[in-house]
């Protein structure tokens, strides 16, 4: 194939992938060649006849796999943001092949011998701090992949990794399958309670599915949550909620239950081969938290206060339900609906009154300008660059001195073929090993498209959250690719994203950017004050559903006999043992818990959001204490965290920013779980 764009140097501006020319059939040959090239590179490094040096071993590894990196990033991003059956087929075929390739490198005895030799001599090699950390991390990565095991155990490690890659792919595809299969088509008579913006989004979703004139609710969070919040039709809320929580559980080809059992058994087996008690112990050994005890302690510190707050909330919801004539117990499909009623009554706050002030484009501008005030960045739209879908917008990012810093792709709308949720990723990472390489960053959201698109307060927070990850990649100033930007420990990676959310909710931001979509008027001060006063509202619910999910993740991954686990029974027993309020339940049930099972990244790691929240609440409190949320001195120290990538220990980085260790008080107060200043 001569016209395969992956076999050319890209002459596009800034080296953006030539999306207009990339077709699914280009991936298999490019992935094959990328794998072959890296194998040859690694063989050359491992087989060198002279004693190893840092440059010809560690730096050479960092340089290897250039083509494979380029192809697989384009592939995984497109497969997540704009997939189709052809790409899904490539994913099924290549996920195990790529896992096998990675494991072959990780278990290369010659390569490891050279790394181990350097590692034992690391104090005498005259390495800079980033180089020493890089060497230590490469060594640790090999050890954690089984480099110290015997040949039979190594073969088993490799076989497991390959199988896990397939299982992760299938798990994600099954969830997407169930989300595609289900939709609730509504006629005019079924719209009771739905405000204009929900109707408009449902009409748009219907249009996209060729059902013009109707209204469609889908299982995207941005579609179903507003429906559950506003629909006065309890029967329809129930149907929608049941479909939502049943994703991944339907018997048949798309059932995730057997996949979970196999994934957990294989993970545990790998952990035990490496000498760990279970997968949680293995995973947490290389984290900021270090142990499952530390994680459990944090989760339990919020668990009882959160349930107590949820009980208070439930009492208020039940009163509202009785006042409306509901004489049955509150069900999970009722919580959001009556919470909205209580919120309106207690705070005189109506989501439908708030939403017109949260125009997507204005909130994007707010995020950009915040990055400008804190870090001196500027964003200019580029309409001349290729994109993979017409919804995607490209921005050129420049630094304080006007120098090109990178590209930022914004893919904001829900659509068929796009995975649910919100995430940040990269097509290219910043690095400076052989000259400066600028990052190409993408943020994905799943907002319901409208004209204009209006966001909820939570949506706007999500927008800022992902943008915080984006900044972590854009501001990266490191030498080595594997230390770039977000390549930090999993329980630290949410700090740069979550602290950035605080600027969205800052009154300074809202007064300027929360403007009515029709009149352009800023949000009325009284409404703004009510909005901020209501921020702790329903935090019992939010904390319970999140923490319960984090706890079940931890429990699943430290189960002593996962091969015998029935995920559904495990879930029932878990809910009972922790007395999880039944009207709330889990934010993610195991059968569609993609953080845990559509990849290994957040397995035994869902707690990371709360772990990072200790840091972000405490970190933003530092700004609040100065009386200026844009305090330049603090902003400079915060930028040091965003730019450091994985060149330094996260706790050291945090202490350098804050001047002390993190404290949990600000988190508990921020969520309204503890009183006082
Ligand atoms: Zn995040």
């Amino acid at each position: 194939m001569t016209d395969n764009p992956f076999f050319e140097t890209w002459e596009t501006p800034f080296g953006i992938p030539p999306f207009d020319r990339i077709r699914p059939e280009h991936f298999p040959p490019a992935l094959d060649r990328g794998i072959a090239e890296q194998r040859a590179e690694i063989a050359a490094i491992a087989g060198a006849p002279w004693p190893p040096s840092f440059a010809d071993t560690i730096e050479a590894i960092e340089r290897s796999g250039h083509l494979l990196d380029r192809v697989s990033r384009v592939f995984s991003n497109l497969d997540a943001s704009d997939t189709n059956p052809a790409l899904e087929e490539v994913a099924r075929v290549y996920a195990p092949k790529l896992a096998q390739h990675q494991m072959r490198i990780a278990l290369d005895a010659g390569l490891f011998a050279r790394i181990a030799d350097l590692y034992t001599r690391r104090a005498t090699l005259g390495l800079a701090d980033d180089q020493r950390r890089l060497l230590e991390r490469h060594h640790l990565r090999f050890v954690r992949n089984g480099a110290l095991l015997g040949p039979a155990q190594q073969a088993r490690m490799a076989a497991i990794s390959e199988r896990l890659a397939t299982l992760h792919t299938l798990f994600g595809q099954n969830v997407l399958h169930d989300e595609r299969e289900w939709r609730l088509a509504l006629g005019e008579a079924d719209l009771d309670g739905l405000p204009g913006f929900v109707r408009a989004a449902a009409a748009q979703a219907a249009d996209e599915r060729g059902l013009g004139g109707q209204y469609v609710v889908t299982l995207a969070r941005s579609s179903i949550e507003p429906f559950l919040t506003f629909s006065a039709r309890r029967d329809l809320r129930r149907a929608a909620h049941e479909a939502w929580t049943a994703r991944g559980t339907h018997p048949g080809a798309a059932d995730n239950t057997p996949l979970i059992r196999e994934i957990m058994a294989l993970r545990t087996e790998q952990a035990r081969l490496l000498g760990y008690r279970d997968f949680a112990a293995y995973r947490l050994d290389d984290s900021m938290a270090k142990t499952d005890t530390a994680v459990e302690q944090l989760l339990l510190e919020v668990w009882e206060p959160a349930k107590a707050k949820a009980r208070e909330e439930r009492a208020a919801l039940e009163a509202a339900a009785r006042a409306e004539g509901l004489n049955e117990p509150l069900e999970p499909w009722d919580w959001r609906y009556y919470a909205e009623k209580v919120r309106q009554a207690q705070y005189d706050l109506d989501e439908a009154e708030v939403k017109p002030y949260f125009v997507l484009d204005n909130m994007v501008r707010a995020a950009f300008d915040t990055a400008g005030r804190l870090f001196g960045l500027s964003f200019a739209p580029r309409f001349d660059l290729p994109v993979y879908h017409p919804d995607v917008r490209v921005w050129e990012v420049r630094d304080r001195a006007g120098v090109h810093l990178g590209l930022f792709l914004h893919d904001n709308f829900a659509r068929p073929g796009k995975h649910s949720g919100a995430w940040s990723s990269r097509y290219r990472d910043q690095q400076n090993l052989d000259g400066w390489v600028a990052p190409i960053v993408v943020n994905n959201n799943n907002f319901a498209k409208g004209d204009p698109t209006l966001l909820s307060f939570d949506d706007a927070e999500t927008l800022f959250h992902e943008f915080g990850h984006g900044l972590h990649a854009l501001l990266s100033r490191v030498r080595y690719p594997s230390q770039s930007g977000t390549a930090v420990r999993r329980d630290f990676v949410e700090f740069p994203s979550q602290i950035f959310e605080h600027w969205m909710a800052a009154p300074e931001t809202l007064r300027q950017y929360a403007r009515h979509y029709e009149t352009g008027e800023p949000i009325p001060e009284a409404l703004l004050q009510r909005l901020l006063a209501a921020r702790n509202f329903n935090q019992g619910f939010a904390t319970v559903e999140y923490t319960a999910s984090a706890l079940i993740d931890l429990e699943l991954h430290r189960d002593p006999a996962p091969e015998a686990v029935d995920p559904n029974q495990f879930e029932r027993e878990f809910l009972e043992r922790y007395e999880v309020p039944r009207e709330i339940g889990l934010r993610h049930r195991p059968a569609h818990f993609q953080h845990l099972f559509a990849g290994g990244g957040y397995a035994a790691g869902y707690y990371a959001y709360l772990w990072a929240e200790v840091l972000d609440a405490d970190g933003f409190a530092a700004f609040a204490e100065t009386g200026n949320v844009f305090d330049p001195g603090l902003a400079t120290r915060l930028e040091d965290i965003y730019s450091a990538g994985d060149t330094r220990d996260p706790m050291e980085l945090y202490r350098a920013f804050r001047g002390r260790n993190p404290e949990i008080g600000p988190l508990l107060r921020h969520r309204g779980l503890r009183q006082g200043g």
Side-chain angles (χ1 to χ4, degrees):
M1 199 177 307
T2 51
D3 64 340
N4 191 324
F6 290 110
F7 298 152
E8 301 163 7
T9 305
W10 293 341
E11 303 295 344
T12 47
F14 314 108
I16 191 172
F19 292 113
D20 47 335
R21 296 177 47 220
I22 294 170
R23 296 191 304 276
E25 62 268 29
H26 294 140
F27 288 107
L31 288 165
D32 287 337
R33 190 187 291 185
I35 289 172
E37 279 186 16
Q38 192 175 28
R39 279 182 79 171
E41 288 160 346
I42 294 294
I45 299 167
W50 52 81
S53 71
F54 183 83
D56 74 18
T57 306
I58 301 299
E59 288 189 341
I61 295 173
E62 291 283 315
R63 268 187 200 99
S64 76
H66 177 73
L67 173 63
L68 183 59
D69 185 65
R70 191 165 74 149
V71 184
S72 51
R73 279 170 188 272
V74 173
F75 179 74
S76 59
N77 277 306
L78 291 185
D79 186 41
S81 301
D82 196 30
T83 195
N84 55 51
L87 289 181
E88 288 183 319
E89 176 58 21
V90 176
R92 277 190 295 271
V93 173
Y94 278 87
K97 282 193 187 185
L98 289 165
Q100 189 186 52
H101 170 66
Q102 295 305 338
M103 276 312 267
R104 193 180 287 127
I105 296 174
L107 296 174
D108 186 316
L111 188 61
F112 180 66
R114 294 177 80 80
I115 294 170
D117 178 57
L118 290 168
Y119 179 76
T120 51
R121 297 189 284 122
R122 64 193 183 283
T124 63
L125 296 173
L127 300 177
D129 289 348
D130 62 332
Q131 295 176 318
R132 179 162 170 157
R133 183 171 170 88
L134 184 69
L135 170 56
E136 287 169 353
R137 289 221 57 88
H138 272 290
H139 182 261
L140 183 66
R141 188 166 59 86
F142 273 78
V143 170
R144 286 174 63 79
N145 277 316
L148 297 174
L149 302 179
Q153 292 171 313
Q154 287 193 345
R156 183 63 191 147
M157 286 291 290
I160 293 175
S161 293
E162 203 181 318
R163 177 66 185 152
L164 280 173
T166 297
L167 293 169
H168 293 158
T169 306
L170 291 175
F171 188 97
Q173 291 182 351
N174 286 345
V175 176
L176 193 57
H177 170 272
D178 282 1
E179 289 176 354
R180 272 189 202 138
E181 283 296 288
W182 189 91
R183 65 180 180 219
L184 184 62
L186 306 174
E188 293 288 343
D190 306 318
L191 305 179
D192 283 6
L194 300 183
F197 72 89
V198 180
R199 292 178 189 216
Q204 170 91 20
D207 269 349
E208 285 167 4
R209 285 159 184 77
L211 297 170
Q214 292 192 58
Y215 301 86
V216 161
V217 178
T218 74
L219 294 180
R221 197 172 271 276
S222 64
S223 174
I224 196 153
E225 280 195 332
F227 182 76
L228 293 171
T229 303
F230 292 105
S231 173
R233 287 281 298 276
R234 197 171 187 232
D235 58 332
L236 297 179
R237 288 203 312 267
R238 178 179 184 161
H241 190 272
E242 285 178 347
W244 197 35
T245 51
R247 285 171 299 153
T249 65
H250 302 290
D255 185 2
N256 271 335
T257 313
L259 302 188
I260 293 172
R261 189 183 304 122
E262 193 182 347
I263 289 171
M264 292 207 318
L266 291 174
R267 283 178 182 162
T268 307
E269 189 184 342
Q270 278 195 329
R272 288 185 183 154
L273 281 167
L274 294 166
Y276 291 93
R277 184 192 66 225
D278 49 44
F279 183 80
Y282 163 72
R283 168 47 54 87
L284 293 165
D285 193 31
D286 185 30
S287 70
M288 204 173 164
K290 303 279 190 255
T291 66
D292 62 330
T293 322
V295 170
E296 185 173 31
Q297 206 175 346
L298 171 65
L299 294 175
L300 293 181
E301 204 156 349
V302 302
W303 181 237
E304 289 303 329
K307 280 204 292 184
K309 185 133 201 292
R311 276 194 293 276
E312 288 171 25
E313 291 167 4
R314 185 180 58 199
L317 266 51
E318 280 169 347
R322 275 195 299 277
E324 277 212 346
L326 180 76
N327 290 313
E328 292 167 46
L330 221 52
E331 297 291 345
W333 45 89
D334 296 323
W335 189 290
R336 287 175 179 78
Y337 178 74
Y338 289 108
E340 180 60 20
K341 302 267 174 206
V342 171
R343 192 168 79 121
Q344 290 184 15
Q346 277 184 4
Y347 298 95
D348 188 20
L349 200 62
D350 179 348
E351 173 92 23
E353 184 191 0
V354 170
K355 206 152 175 167
Y357 292 96
F358 286 82
V359 179
L360 172 63
D361 287 348
N362 294 345
M363 288 298 121
V364 170
R365 178 50 58 196
F368 288 173
D369 289 354
T370 301
R373 289 183 72 177
L374 288 171
F375 309 127
L377 304 190
S378 60
F379 296 76
R382 296 285 302 233
F383 299 104
D384 54 328
L385 304 183
V387 289
Y388 54 87
H389 188 280
D391 284 347
V392 180
R393 298 197 66 184
V394 187
W395 303 84
E396 188 190 348
V397 189
R398 292 174 183 270
D399 72 6
R400 206 171 260 114
V403 175
H404 176 83
L405 199 61
L407 290 179
F408 177 69
L409 280 60
H410 226 172
D411 184 350
N412 282 321
F413 302 117
R415 59 173 175 264
K418 184 170 175 182
H419 283 229
S420 53
W423 68 97
S424 177
S425 182
R426 288 96 46 220
Y427 283 90
R428 192 173 66 201
D429 277 332
Q430 181 276 330
Q431 51 132 319
N432 194 19
L433 180 50
D434 299 303
W436 191 269
V437 174
I440 300 176
V441 178
V442 60
N443 272 189
N444 284 275
N445 290 292
N446 264 288
F447 301 135
K449 196 176 185 176
D451 183 25
T453 298
L454 301 177
L455 305 182
S456 68
F457 193 84
D458 288 353
D459 289 338
E461 268 186 347
T462 301
L463 182 88
F464 269 63
H465 176 102
E466 299 310 334
F467 189 63
H469 285 306
L471 290 173
H472 199 185
L474 286 165
L475 287 166
S476 176
R477 250 172 249 132
V478 304
R479 179 160 33 166
Y480 296 107
S482 71
Q483 292 179 327
S484 189
T486 54
V488 298
R489 302 288 69 72
R490 189 66 72 176
D491 50 3
F492 190 59
V493 78
E494 298 299 336
F495 170 71
S497 55
Q498 290 182 177
I499 194 170
F500 202 73
E501 292 175 32
H502 291 267
W503 278 279
M504 196 288 291
E508 292 87 334
T509 304
L510 295 173
R511 283 189 192 111
Q512 193 174 348
Y513 299 95
R515 289 175 177 273
H516 196 277
Y517 76 100
E518 279 171 330
T519 64
E521 289 291 314
I523 190 166
E525 190 61 25
L527 179 57
L528 174 64
Q529 291 308 327
R530 298 201 309 270
L531 187 62
L532 294 174
R535 287 210 66 206
N536 282 338
F537 179 71
N538 214 33
Q539 277 297 311
F541 171 89
T543 310
V544 163
E545 69 159 7
Y546 165 80
T547 307
S549 292
L551 282 165
I552 200 171
D553 167 29
L554 188 66
E555 295 281 317
L556 278 165
H557 286 104
R558 60 182 188 188
D559 190 273
E563 63 285 349
V565 161
D566 170 351
N568 295 317
Q569 192 191 339
F570 189 97
E571 183 183 345
R572 278 194 300 276
E573 287 170 6
F574 169 86
L575 295 172
E576 237 168 74
R577 188 164 69 255
Y578 280 89
E579 297 178 326
V580 179
R582 57 175 288 282
E583 316 81 356
I584 299 178
L586 298 161
R587 182 173 171 86
H588 307 281
R589 294 184 60 203
H592 47 252
F593 206 157
Q594 304 201 66
H595 292 81
L596 309 194
F597 301 118
Y602 278 85
Y606 193 63
Y607 77 94
Y609 297 96
L610 193 71
W611 187 270
E613 194 177 326
V614 175
L615 306 181
D616 75 66
D618 186 57
F620 190 75
F623 283 92
E625 284 158 17
T626 69
N628 173 13
V629 296
F630 295 100
D631 181 83
L634 273 173
T636 304
R637 299 214 302 268
L638 183 62
E639 189 178 341
D640 289 342
I641 293 184
Y642 281 81
S643 63
D646 193 41
T647 55
R648 291 175 63 192
D649 176 77
M651 192 56 98
E652 255 175 51
L653 274 174
Y654 186 82
R655 273 196 294 262
F657 156 70
R658 190 61 164 108
R660 58 160 173 74
N661 282 329
E663 291 171 2
I664 194 175
L667 174 143
L668 295 174
R669 286 190 291 275
H670 186 62
R671 285 191 174 240
L673 303 176
R674 182 193 282 176
Q675 304 302 313

